Amino acid sequence: MTGSPHHQAGAARHNGRQVRLYLVDGTPDGLVVAEIGNWIGIALCCSRARLGDLLRRPEAARTGVYLLVGADPDVVGGMKVYVGEADDIAARLPNHLRSEDRDFFDRVAIVVAKDTSLTKAHVRYLEGRLIKAVHEAGTAALANATAPDFQRLPEADRSDMNAFLDQTRLVLPLLGFDAFRSRAVPHASSANGSPLFVFSTAGASATARETSDGFVVLAGSTARKATTATIPASYEALRNRLIRTGQLVDGPSPDLLQFAKDVVFDSPSAAASVVAGRSAAGPREWKVRETGETYRDWRMRTLAAAE
């Protein structure tokens, strides 16, 4: 697979790209087909209830990778993902309907080539890279029993598959499959002009910055090890997941945890609640390090200045 479209797509990763989403039956709850200009791949997704519609598509009979996504039955508010590959996806997917281990999923996505250029070796490589991405992201539990690291591809094929993977990881979040997206924290120069925010409570001390990916608590920050009854269940589940995935580890004292890496949160309140181990109003509790201004007042002032 040495066609130039792969390399063109990989080289243009910082340029705008056109993504086409086609609602096959005219509703967002039905089968959706996604394509990117100059990409030889195509992604299709649907709910479990519409799996039959997907399996009847000619694309489903091709060699490719697939994702099964649903709620994690062991974690409140958690997500679980299974990543697989097959020579004939339509023949493989019905097996998962008969498996109790795969009964968690409620949405399915497949990624194949528009032609027949993907081989078994190609999709085994893609499967391994996607499993690794889910593990590194730490936002979902993996249902895979193993994590294959298939590397037996010629160098040129690995380059092509890495470019194919870039497009896959771009398009699947648009379809609601975001478990493997690495939410890397931008450098300070690209953090939307955000100041550093600080939050201290009961011996814990955290530093954060707002970025285009979300509200980021920086590595080295500490959090209370104990929680109170006021912490919302969803934030407690998130906290437990960060501990389970090694993003929150034992801290400098027995009553503290420490952020082993930068962690992206969806909101200042989610970040503050995880740090404090209790319900916390992030917009009031996070403050600009240099001035003491609350996040809420800083945000309102910057929005007013932009008008």
Side-chain angles (χ1 to χ4, degrees):
M1 276 182 81
T2 58
S4 59
H6 291 296
H7 298 288
Q8 292 171 359
R13 66 185 66 210
H14 296 299
N15 296 332
R17 275 166 286 188
Q18 182 184 58
V19 179
R20 296 179 56 197
L21 298 181
Y22 174 56
L23 309 181
V24 174
D25 60 1
T27 70
D29 298 324
L31 182 64
V32 181
V33 180
E35 301 176 77
I36 303 174
N38 291 330
W39 181 42
I40 70 161
I42 184 170
L44 300 89
C45 77
C46 68
S47 65
R48 181 176 182 142
R50 304 298 295 271
L51 183 57
D53 296 338
L54 175 61
L55 297 182
R56 285 190 288 271
R57 297 278 300 194
E59 297 92 344
R62 297 176 190 161
T63 301
V65 292
Y66 59 91
L67 289 86
L68 310 178
V69 177
D72 185 348
D74 299 320
V75 178
V76 176
M79 178 170 51
K80 196 168 186 178
V81 180
Y82 179 82
V83 182
E85 54 80 20
D87 278 329
D88 182 341
I89 294 177
R92 173 69 61 81
L93 283 180
N95 293 333
H96 293 303
L97 293 174
R98 296 188 288 269
S99 171
E100 293 184 3
D101 292 338
R102 307 285 180 266
D103 195 45
F104 66 89
F105 77 93
D106 54 30
R107 287 186 61 77
V108 183
I110 72 171
V111 182
V112 298
K114 294 175 183 175
D115 52 25
T116 58
S117 54
L118 283 180
T119 67
K120 181 72 170 180
H122 291 140
V123 297
R124 288 188 66 191
Y125 179 82
L126 292 172
E127 176 196 38
R129 291 293 307 277
L130 287 173
I131 290 173
K132 182 179 179 181
V134 173
H135 176 73
E136 290 178 347
T139 57
L142 267 168
N144 295 75
T146 60
D149 185 20
F150 187 80
Q151 296 290 333
R152 293 194 299 273
L153 281 177
E155 182 178 4
D157 284 61
R158 288 200 304 272
S159 177
D160 281 342
M161 287 302 96
N162 287 335
F164 190 94
L165 183 68
D166 285 344
Q167 305 307 301
T168 299
R169 293 181 61 170
L170 172 67
V171 74
L172 284 179
L174 301 178
L175 300 174
F177 293 78
D178 203 16
F180 55 80
R181 188 168 65 122
S182 177
R183 302 177 76 181
V185 179
H187 295 295
S189 60
S190 62
N192 297 333
S194 167
L196 285 173
F197 296 96
V198 294
F199 173 41
S200 297
T201 178
S205 180
T207 305
R209 188 187 297 276
E210 187 169 66
T211 76
S212 58
D213 278 333
F215 196 81
V216 182
V217 175
L218 303 182
S221 298
T222 56
R224 290 185 64 215
K225 182 171 288 186
T227 60
T228 74
T230 66
I231 187 171
S234 59
Y235 293 160
E236 186 171 27
L238 171 58
R239 199 173 193 268
N240 292 337
R241 185 160 64 246
L242 293 175
I243 294 172
R244 188 175 66 249
T245 57
Q247 297 176 79
L248 266 179
V249 298
D250 287 338
S253 66
D255 58 342
L256 292 177
L257 298 171
Q258 188 166 44
F259 286 80
K261 59 187 291 188
D262 296 347
V263 175
V264 184
F265 291 89
D266 290 332
S267 69
S269 290
S273 296
V274 167
V275 169
R278 58 170 171 80
S279 178
R284 291 200 307 268
E285 302 208 45
W286 288 101
K287 297 180 180 179
V288 177
R289 186 175 65 178
E290 289 78 9
T291 66
E293 183 180 28
T294 66
Y295 171 89
R296 180 180 59 186
D297 291 344
W298 170 81
R299 173 51 65 200
M300 294 299 294
R301 179 171 55 79
T302 55
L303 289 174
E307 292 179 354

